[in-house]
Structure formats: structure tokens, C-alpha cells
Amino acid sequence: QVQFEESGGGLGQPGGSLRLSCTASGNIYRLNVMGWYRQAPGKQREAVATIKSPTVAIGDITYYVDSVKGRFTISRDNAENTVQMQMDSLKPEDTAVYYCYLKNFRGAEYWGKGTLVTVSS
């Protein structure tokens, strides 16, 4: 069992900022990738940003979907099993339920229950 504590969703203004945070706990085994997915009404769930930290020497390897590049920044605290995503320059099309995600070294994937982000004036 893996548990997630997600926070930071809510109402954001167009052009404004929000910060999502997620802490994972439980039977994670060895954590490999953390990140965020989102699902907007009537659309499929998509990966927004992910981060993996193979070694200290290599550093973080990040992925961003094209629509958020330059606006969202993902970061991770390996010691705390925490992932955060700073969302700047918000757009109405960022409105979605955002799900915390992790994959361990066995390839098992887990998603949180989600936090709603609404971007509207």
C-alpha cells in the first residue's frame, strides 16, 4: 500500500501561480520516478511533469509536456519522498484534476487521489 498526501490545489488566476506538493509513504520499495499527471473534463489523463534522480552525480532528469514547458517547474526531495510542482503563468486550459504519481524500481506505478486546480478569473 502506498499513500499520498497531496496539497496545493485550488483556484488560480490566469497568469497567476499555484504550487502543488505531494508526499508519498507506505510500501514504496525503492522510489524511481515521481511526478504529476492531470485529467481535464472530457480528456484523457496525461503526464504533466516527472522527475527521476538516478544518482547525485547525474542529477535530476525531468520531463515536461510541451504545453507547460517554461511555466511549470518540478522538484523533488528524495529523503522525504516529496515532489512539488510550481505552476506559473497559469492558463485556463491548465484546469484539471492533478494526480501525484510515482513509479518504483520494480516498475509498479501509483497515483494519488488527485487535487483540483481551477484557473479562472
Side-chain angles (χ1 to χ4, degrees):
Q1 286 278 25
V2 175
Q3 294 82 41
F4 295 91
E5 183 176 341
E6 299 163 310
S7 62
L11 177 63
Q13 300 272 345
S17 299
L18 286 173
R19 186 176 182 85
L20 301 183
S21 183
C22 170
T23 299
S25 62
N27 190 20
I28 298 173
Y29 184 57
R30 291 172 60 202
L31 197 155
N32 184 12
V33 181
M34 292 194 80
W36 294 91
Y37 278 62
R38 69 183 177 187
Q39 187 165 19
K43 294 188 177 182
Q44 289 188 324
R45 188 177 296 189
E46 66 172 354
V48 179
T50 61
I51 183 168
K52 62 188 298 184
S53 307
T55 66
V56 173
I58 293 174
D60 295 333
I61 300 172
T62 58
Y63 159 84
Y64 296 94
V65 68
D66 285 346
S67 59
V68 308
K69 285 180 180 177
R71 300 189 297 121
F72 291 9
T73 304
I74 192 168
S75 60
R76 173 173 166 175
D77 183 334
N78 294 323
E80 300 293 330
N81 291 336
T82 295
V83 63
Q84 296 180 325
M85 185 164 70
Q86 177 67 34
M87 305 187 295
D88 297 321
S89 303
L90 287 168
K91 301 178 179 180
E93 50 263 42
D94 294 321
T95 296
V97 177
Y98 285 72
Y99 299 89
C100 188
Y101 163 83
L102 75 83
K103 182 167 71 173
N104 65 22
F105 275 91
R106 288 174 170 163
E109 298 179 296
Y110 303 89
W111 283 266
K113 292 183 178 180
T115 183
L116 178 62
V117 170
T118 303
V119 181
S120 174
S121 56

